[in-house]
Protein backbone atom coordinates (compact mmCIF):
# COMPACT_ATOMS: atom_id res chain seq x y z
CA UNK A 1 0.00 0.00 0.00
CA UNK A 2 1.46 3.34 -0.98
CA UNK A 3 1.54 6.31 1.36
CA UNK A 4 -0.98 8.09 -0.86
CA UNK A 5 -3.48 5.26 -0.27
CA UNK A 6 -3.34 5.62 3.53
CA UNK A 7 -5.44 8.13 5.36
CA UNK A 8 -3.63 10.19 7.97
CA UNK A 9 -5.60 8.63 10.82
CA UNK A 10 -5.15 5.14 9.44
CA UNK A 11 -1.42 5.60 8.94
CA UNK A 12 -0.91 6.99 12.42
CA UNK A 13 -3.00 4.21 13.95
CA UNK A 14 -1.13 1.49 12.10
CA UNK A 15 2.26 3.05 12.88
CA UNK A 16 1.37 3.26 16.57
CA UNK A 17 0.29 -0.40 16.58
CA UNK A 18 3.56 -1.49 14.98
CA UNK A 19 5.76 0.52 17.35
CA UNK A 20 3.70 -0.51 20.38
CA UNK A 21 3.96 -4.16 19.33
CA UNK A 22 7.71 -4.02 18.71
CA UNK A 23 8.36 -2.48 22.11
CA UNK A 24 6.01 -4.90 23.92
CA UNK A 25 7.55 -7.91 22.16
CA UNK A 26 11.03 -6.69 23.05
CA UNK A 27 10.13 -6.20 26.68
CA UNK A 28 8.71 -9.73 26.84
CA UNK A 29 11.96 -11.02 25.32
CA UNK A 30 13.85 -9.14 28.04
CA UNK A 31 11.84 -10.81 30.81
CA UNK A 32 9.13 -8.24 31.49
CA UNK A 33 6.15 -10.54 30.95
CA UNK A 34 4.11 -9.79 34.04
CA UNK A 35 2.27 -6.66 32.96
CA UNK A 36 0.34 -5.43 29.97
CA UNK A 37 1.68 -3.00 27.40
CA UNK A 38 -1.06 -0.56 28.45
CA UNK A 39 0.25 -0.58 32.02
CA UNK A 40 3.69 0.28 30.70
CA UNK A 41 2.43 3.08 28.45
CA UNK A 42 -0.06 4.60 30.87
CA UNK A 43 1.74 4.22 34.18
CA UNK A 44 5.43 3.29 34.00
CA UNK A 45 6.26 5.69 31.15
CA UNK A 46 4.65 8.57 33.05
CA UNK A 47 6.39 8.06 36.39
CA UNK A 48 9.68 9.71 37.21
CA UNK A 49 11.67 9.88 40.40
CA UNK A 50 8.89 11.94 41.95
CA UNK A 51 5.65 10.07 42.66
CA UNK A 52 2.46 10.94 40.81
CA UNK A 53 -1.12 10.63 41.91
CA UNK A 54 -3.51 8.29 40.17
CA UNK A 55 -5.54 11.36 39.17
CA UNK A 56 -2.51 13.00 37.58
CA UNK A 57 -1.67 9.81 35.66
CA UNK A 58 -5.27 9.69 34.44
CA UNK A 59 -5.10 13.31 33.33
CA UNK A 60 -1.78 12.78 31.53
CA UNK A 61 -3.02 9.74 29.62
CA UNK A 62 -6.68 10.51 29.02
CA UNK A 63 -7.55 7.22 30.70
CA UNK A 64 -10.13 7.11 33.50
CA UNK A 65 -9.02 7.14 37.13
CA UNK A 66 -10.70 3.76 37.58
CA UNK A 67 -8.71 2.20 34.74
CA UNK A 68 -5.45 3.74 35.95
CA UNK A 69 -6.20 2.49 39.49
CA UNK A 70 -6.63 -1.05 38.15
CA UNK A 71 -3.40 -0.79 36.15
CA UNK A 72 -1.50 0.54 39.18
CA UNK A 73 -2.87 -2.29 41.35
CA UNK A 74 -1.61 -4.87 38.86
CA UNK A 75 1.78 -3.22 38.63
CA UNK A 76 2.00 -3.07 42.40
CA UNK A 77 1.26 -6.80 42.67
CA UNK A 78 3.99 -7.47 40.09
CA UNK A 79 6.52 -5.28 41.94
CA UNK A 80 6.88 -2.41 39.46
CA UNK A 81 5.36 0.31 41.63
CA UNK A 82 4.41 0.94 45.22
CA UNK A 83 1.66 3.22 46.46
CA UNK A 84 1.08 5.28 49.53
CA UNK A 85 -1.68 7.61 50.68
CA UNK A 86 -1.56 11.07 49.11
CA UNK A 87 -1.18 13.58 51.96
CA UNK A 88 -2.77 16.27 49.75
CA UNK A 89 -5.86 14.13 49.04
CA UNK A 90 -7.16 11.82 51.73
CA UNK A 91 -8.78 9.50 49.18
CA UNK A 92 -5.91 9.55 46.70
CA UNK A 93 -2.82 7.42 46.28
CA UNK A 94 0.68 8.40 45.21
CA UNK A 95 2.43 5.99 42.86
CA UNK A 96 6.21 5.45 43.09
CA UNK A 97 8.46 3.44 40.80
CA UNK A 98 10.31 0.53 42.38
CA UNK A 99 13.73 -0.68 41.23
CA UNK A 100 11.97 -3.23 39.00
CA UNK A 101 9.86 -0.45 37.49
CA UNK A 102 12.93 1.68 36.82
CA UNK A 103 14.67 -1.29 35.20
CA UNK A 104 11.69 -1.97 32.91
CA UNK A 105 11.47 1.68 31.94
CA UNK A 106 15.19 1.80 31.10
CA UNK A 107 14.88 -1.30 28.92
CA UNK A 108 11.83 0.23 27.18
CA UNK A 109 13.78 3.45 26.55
CA UNK A 110 16.62 1.40 25.03
CA UNK A 111 14.10 -0.34 22.77
CA UNK A 112 12.69 3.02 21.67
CA UNK A 113 16.23 4.30 20.95
CA UNK A 114 16.83 1.26 18.74
CA UNK A 115 13.63 1.98 16.83
CA UNK A 116 14.74 5.56 16.26
CA UNK A 117 18.13 4.33 15.01
CA UNK A 118 16.32 1.97 12.65
CA UNK A 119 14.15 4.83 11.39
CA UNK A 120 17.23 6.99 10.82
CA UNK A 121 18.91 4.19 8.87
CA UNK A 122 15.87 3.88 6.62
CA UNK A 123 14.89 7.57 6.27
CA UNK A 124 18.10 9.39 7.07
CA UNK A 125 18.60 11.84 9.93
CA UNK A 126 17.01 14.86 8.22
CA UNK A 127 13.84 13.06 7.18
CA UNK A 128 13.59 11.46 10.63
CA UNK A 129 13.72 14.91 12.25
CA UNK A 130 11.06 16.19 9.84
CA UNK A 131 8.86 13.19 10.60
CA UNK A 132 9.24 13.67 14.36
CA UNK A 133 8.52 17.38 14.03
CA UNK A 134 5.31 16.51 12.18
CA UNK A 135 4.28 14.24 15.05
CA UNK A 136 5.01 17.05 17.52
CA UNK A 137 2.73 19.35 15.52
CA UNK A 138 -0.09 16.81 15.67
CA UNK A 139 0.45 16.26 19.41
CA UNK A 140 0.31 20.04 19.84
CA UNK A 141 -3.15 20.07 18.27
CA UNK A 142 -4.36 17.75 21.02
CA UNK A 143 -2.64 19.76 23.75
CA UNK A 144 -4.29 22.96 22.53
CA UNK A 145 -7.70 21.29 22.26
CA UNK A 146 -7.38 19.90 25.77
CA UNK A 147 -6.30 23.28 27.16
CA UNK A 148 -9.31 24.96 25.53
CA UNK A 149 -11.80 22.59 27.18
CA UNK A 150 -12.84 22.94 30.82
CA UNK A 151 -11.43 20.36 33.25
CA UNK A 152 -14.00 17.65 33.86
CA UNK A 153 -12.50 16.45 37.13
CA UNK A 154 -10.24 13.73 35.73
Amino acid sequence: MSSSELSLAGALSRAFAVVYGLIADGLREDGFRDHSPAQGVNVLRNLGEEPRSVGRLASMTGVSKQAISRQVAGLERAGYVRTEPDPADGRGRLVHLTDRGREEREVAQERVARLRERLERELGPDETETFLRGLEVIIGWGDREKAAKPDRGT
Side-chain angles (χ1 to χ4, degrees), residues 1 32 74 128 145:
M1 181 176 299
F32 299 97
T128 298
E145 289 290 321

Side-chain angles (χ1 to χ4, degrees), residues 2 8 10 42 60 64-65 75 121 128-129 137 149 152:
S2 73
L8 175 62
N42 294 330
M60 292 172 73
S64 73
K65 286 182 187 178
L75 288 167
R121 280 194 307 274
T128 298
E129 285 303 317
V137 167
K149 292 180 181 174
R152 300 181 193 265

Side-chain angles (χ1 to χ4, degrees), residues 5-48:
E5 294 170 342
L6 286 175
S7 71
L8 175 62
L12 290 172
S13 178
R14 288 184 61 192
F16 174 78
V18 168
V19 169
Y20 191 82
L22 289 170
I23 293 168
D25 290 348
L27 286 169
R28 281 191 292 279
E29 289 170 13
D30 290 335
F32 299 97
R33 296 179 182 90
D34 47 2
H35 71 78
S36 72
Q39 289 170 310
V41 169
N42 294 330
V43 178
L44 298 177
R45 181 178 65 100
N46 289 301
L47 287 175

Side-chain angles (χ1 to χ4, degrees), residues 69-90:
S69 292
R70 285 191 299 273
Q71 291 177 2
V72 166
L75 288 167
E76 190 166 28
R77 284 190 299 275
Y80 290 90
V81 300
R82 68 178 177 78
T83 63
E84 66 182 21
D86 184 347
D89 175 1

